[in-house]
Amino acid sequence: MARIAAIVAADPGGRGIKPLLQPGAIDAAVETLLAARHVVICSGFYIPSAGVCENDGPPGVMALGSALTGSERSVGYLTDSRCANIFRALGLEPLFVDKLPDDLQTDVLVAIERVGRTADGTYRNMRGIDISAWTAPLDDYFLAAPTKGIATIGIGDGGNEIGMGAVRELVRTTIANGDVIASTVEVDHLVVAGVSNWGAWGVVAGLSVLTGSMLLPTVEGARDHSVACMAAGAVDGRSGRAKASVDGLGWEIHARVLQQLRDVVAAAIL
Ligand code: ZN
Ligand code: ZN
């Protein structure tokens, strides 16, 4: 598990996430998920300048949702109406698209690359731009979760995502634009990764090790998910362009991380 955590913590994009890393978070997230009957996974980061959703997040949702879905467990998906088409391109039907319910019934809530509110109540992208007008308050469910007995997991890579509340002082002092973008929304288990999709793959790798079966997508399968997102209009959140790159990193870097995780899992479940 330490090897898995080290792989997903690689930071080739130079975002400065090292101080934010939470040792043992993947292990704790995996245990929480394995004990759950119902899991809801939330993602979708809208890029107003591009008029579409970014391509970090939904592929991670796809990988985690597929790994968790089975006879013992149901998985639901949550996103904004503006990002729903990207979910659908992956064959994932969001639970609610236009009207969000006051209450959400689940055992565990997971956020993957999903923006969380800042101290002034606005939602900010990594450049510090206010994207509140394009963002549904899905973090409300995370804020309410502790009083409803719902466990929460957050996967993020920049400091502005749901879950980063626990490390917000570090985000403010160590991440670019940190004082503006730091989210105040906390979760039970915070998985910080070089790219949020990698954090999701890391959790799936952990699930694979503990269940003794390879649950990670193949590199080709993950590439297909990325291409499906791109075909539906999703863009690289860094460049704002529809490319196979994610967070400004070429596909070969993502493929290498996934292959490393697959190798670790394969060796562990022999
Ligand atoms: Zn991010
Ligand atoms: Zn990202």
Side-chain angles (χ1 to χ4, degrees), residues 33 39-43 64 108-112 142 151-155:
L33 290 166
V39 178
V40 171
I41 312 175
C42 152
S43 185
L64 184 58
V108 183
L109 259 174
V110 184
I112 302 174
F142 289 77
T152 53
I153 295 167
I155 300 175

Side-chain angles (χ1 to χ4, degrees), residues 42-98:
C42 152
S43 185
F45 212 121
Y46 192 72
I47 314 279
S49 60
V52 285
C53 170
E54 75 157 284
N55 60 5
D56 188 18
V61 174
M62 176 78 192
L64 184 58
S66 309
L68 289 172
T69 303
S71 55
E72 305 285 293
R73 204 181 293 109
S74 69
V75 180
Y77 303 98
L78 190 61
T79 190
D80 310 87
S81 54
R82 287 185 176 82
C83 299
N85 65 318
I86 307 300
F87 275 58
R88 291 199 181 105
L90 294 170
L92 311 172
E93 183 57 34
L95 288 171
F96 323 101
V97 172
D98 292 319

Side-chain angles (χ1 to χ4, degrees), residues 7 198 201 252-262:
I7 292 169
W198 302 356
W201 289 342
E252 65 286 354
I253 296 175
H254 302 277
R256 194 187 318 136
V257 167
L258 180 54
Q259 190 57 53
Q260 286 173 347
L261 290 170
R262 287 185 59 90

Side-chain angles (χ1 to χ4, degrees), residues 15 54 56-57 113 157-158 161 194-197 246-247:
R15 305 184 68 167
E54 75 157 284
D56 188 18
E113 189 63 15
D157 58 14
E161 300 93 353
V195 173
S196 292
N197 285 337
V246 178
D247 285 357

